Amino acid sequence: MSREQTGWVIRNVRVIDPFRDVDSIEDIYVKGEEIGEPSLSTDYSVVDGRDLWLVPRLTDMHVHFREPGFENKEDLLSGSRAAAAGGFTAVCTMPNTFPTIDIPSLVQWQRDQAKNIGLVRIFPIGAISKGQEGRELADLYQMACAGAVGFSDDGHPLRDARIMRAALGYSTTLGRPIIQHAEDPALSEGGVMHEGSVSQQLGLPGIPEEAESVMVWRDVELAGLTGGLLHVAHVSAQGSLEALDYAKRRGLRVTAEVSPHHLFLTDAMIREWNFKPVTKVNPPLRPDGTRQLLIQAVRRGLIPVIASDHAPHHQDEKDRPYNEAPFGISGLETFIGTILGVFIVDGLLDPLSLFRLVTVEPHKVLGLEYPGLTVGAPADFTLIDPQAKWVVDGKKFYSRGKNTPLEGTWLQGRPVATMVGGQWTMRDQEVLR
Ligand SMILES: [Zn+2]
């Protein structure tokens, strides 16, 4: 863009803005870093938005960018590029790095790095316990002051109910949620996939759904005891949904997220992939019956958030046998195609309702503010071509993690441009850094 130009105008675009509850054809003006007033000036560079959707502040509240410590899997730059390519303008990074993000200076460091990279807004999540060891509470207050938007020992569950109780107690004063990776390790130990008929046929050790749901039930009770803000990460079990229903009936401050792969795929994929660990993820892919219940739970608002749980690994690690490969799927760059496939193509949700789950709802869970596309708001938005049909090719991912069970799958719907603070970060599938 040359210096004389005033900004950008996206013309005749279908604006889907869940922050303002708007779904209509509009022209969106960008001036400097912000949404500008409509203008008759000819100094704006024009983008033809016909047949495209424009969604503000797409937010993935669960990603693993692995820096510091595991940069061979992903770092803040490669993760940010994957986020921009996937259409995201904001992400929340999980603290299971080395060292663990459990002190305010590390929270600040991640935010500074993200600002320098400038591709996506990063809202760090701090650890609940020091070193994520589950023994001693980290300084949640100081981390919140440094900008941590929530707390999690994700990667591991927080097992000690006494520490969980204390953390939930703090969450009420801080206004930041405690995000639990719900898993009872005694029940899941040694398991590599969902425990059921497929694991029996394949002879692989299983993880029962109850390994998750017993922990969700416990935490819901602790949320009741403390009045705390509990957010359940990557829900994947029928019993967890019942615990969430119970929490809702009691009026507790409990929210949850589900990952696109649990909505789109089942444990039968493990057979289809012939034991290739592309499907290995924790919690594991579930049978179709559970998948259907998760979709229904999203439709009726019981699960308010969809988050990728983007968990990249180095290819060498994922090339190991199924029992030995690490858990995790590279999810940022297939996110939109997947959720459009599940909910829009089949007509299960309208776009405005669907995009609430990746915009206004994660903002509510985390206590973040964004006014929607109003004059003066940061110009953070994504242009999506809902008709684009494309084949997933992990080699082309910007993420260092090329591991996806969707390899070779046709998806419909794709982000075609991403803007953060008035700067394009991606255009025509090309990340601009
Ligand atoms: Zn997790």
Side-chain angles (χ1 to χ4, degrees):
M1 188 177 105
S2 76
R3 292 237 170 248
E4 298 82 61
Q5 286 163 333
T6 309
W8 296 90
V9 54
I10 323 297
R11 282 214 196 283
N12 299 311
V13 72
R14 180 172 172 188
V15 172
I16 299 165
D17 181 355
F19 294 95
R20 292 180 303 144
D21 209 24
V22 161
D23 180 352
S24 65
I25 305 290
E26 293 179 27
D27 295 342
I28 293 291
Y29 288 79
V30 177
K31 197 170 182 187
E33 298 175 9
E34 298 172 350
I35 301 299
E37 302 266 10
S39 166
L40 295 173
S41 159
T42 51
D43 293 343
Y44 287 82
S45 307
V46 177
V47 174
D48 182 4
R50 266 175 306 178
D51 304 322
L52 299 180
W53 295 353
L54 186 151
V55 184
R57 194 49 90 76
L58 265 181
T59 302
D60 186 346
M61 68 170 285
H62 189 146
V63 302
H64 296 271
F65 280 1
R66 311 293 193 198
E67 186 180 352
F70 306 104
E71 290 83 354
N72 65 328
K73 296 171 189 275
E74 192 86 294
D75 60 23
L76 290 166
L77 176 59
S78 63
S80 297
R81 298 177 90 207
F88 289 96
T89 49
V91 295
C92 301
T93 43
M94 282 296 174
N96 59 336
T97 50
F98 188 79
T100 308
I101 309 295
D102 61 358
I103 50 173
S105 57
L106 283 170
V107 172
Q108 189 61 52
W109 176 82
Q110 270 199 340
R111 292 179 62 200
D112 292 345
Q113 294 295 106
K115 235 171 243 153
N116 291 339
I117 292 167
L119 284 172
V120 64
R121 298 187 194 273
I122 292 186
F123 297 103
I125 291 167
I128 304 171
S129 67
K130 288 185 183 166
Q132 291 193 313
E133 287 172 354
R135 284 196 278 272
E136 206 184 328
L137 209 56
D139 193 337
L140 307 189
Y141 172 75
Q142 290 294 343
M143 280 194 283
C145 292
V149 296
F151 303 97
S152 183
D153 277 2
D154 187 62
H156 308 282
L158 185 66
R159 296 162 77 168
D160 188 318
R162 194 175 52 98
I163 295 179
M164 189 60 171
R165 178 185 182 176
L168 285 165
Y170 276 108
S171 73
T172 55
T173 7
L174 299 176
R176 304 293 193 198
I178 303 301
I179 303 168
Q180 173 71 301
H181 168 117
E183 175 182 344
D184 185 328
L187 283 173
S188 60
E189 201 185 343
V192 297
M193 65 172 290
H194 171 75
E195 180 178 309
S197 58
V198 181
S199 68
Q200 273 164 17
Q201 285 162 19
L202 299 180
L204 287 175
I207 303 172
E209 291 193 15
E210 287 75 4
E212 175 184 306
S213 57
V214 292
M215 193 65 108
V216 177
W217 276 108
R218 182 202 77 174
D219 290 342
V220 164
E221 293 288 12
L222 293 175
L225 179 63
T226 57
L229 279 70
L230 171 68
H231 179 79
V232 186
H234 42 58
V235 163
S236 74
Q238 182 174 358
S240 307
L241 299 178
E242 282 166 21
L244 292 172
D245 255 325
Y246 168 77
K248 200 172 191 180
R249 283 200 305 280
R250 277 184 63 185
L252 304 180
R253 297 157 88 185
V254 175
T255 53
E257 72 194 27
V258 62
S259 307
H261 45 268
H262 290 122
L263 297 167
F264 198 68
L265 303 171
T266 68
D267 61 346
M269 289 296 286
I270 295 152
R271 192 194 293 115
E272 279 170 44
W273 271 104
N274 198 21
F275 298 91
K276 213 170 168 241
V278 289
T279 55
K280 189 173 174 183
V281 64
N282 188 21
L285 299 176
R286 303 297 190 184
D288 196 52
T290 306
R291 184 182 79 92
Q292 298 291 346
L293 291 174
L294 292 168
I295 291 172
Q296 282 169 29
V298 169
R299 291 182 72 195
R300 65 193 171 94
L302 186 66
I303 298 176
V305 172
I306 305 180
S308 71
D309 191 12
H310 174 75
H313 290 288
H314 193 274
Q315 199 51 48
D316 293 349
E317 300 169 288
K318 272 294 193 182
D319 283 341
R320 289 185 206 146
Y322 208 92
N323 281 318
E324 294 166 26
F327 293 98
I329 287 172
S330 188
L332 278 166
E333 292 166 78
T334 52
F335 189 108
I336 287 181
T338 311
I339 65 167
L340 262 57
V342 173
F343 293 104
I344 302 294
V345 175
D346 291 343
L348 299 181
L349 281 177
D350 60 84
L352 188 60
S353 306
L354 176 63
F355 284 109
R356 288 186 66 83
L357 292 114
V358 265
T359 54
V360 71
E361 292 296 343
H363 277 68
K364 275 201 242 168
V365 169
L366 301 163
L368 296 173
E369 304 275 346
Y370 185 77
L373 293 164
T374 56
V375 174
D380 293 4
F381 57 76
T382 308
L383 290 171
I384 295 167
D385 180 349
Q387 298 302 329
K389 292 198 172 69
W390 58 290
V391 180
V392 177
D393 178 357
K395 289 192 303 299
K396 292 191 181 150
F397 284 176
Y398 282 92
S399 169
R400 293 218 172 109
K402 313 293 182 193
N403 179 75
T404 171
L406 297 170
E407 184 72 40
T409 305
W410 280 94
L411 295 178
Q412 183 180 333
R414 188 168 203 183
V416 293
T418 316
M419 178 178 274
V420 176
Q423 300 284 333
W424 294 110
T425 56
M426 182 271 280
R427 285 193 82 177
D428 301 323
Q429 274 84 57
E430 190 127 350
V431 173
L432 300 175
R433 209 191 135 174

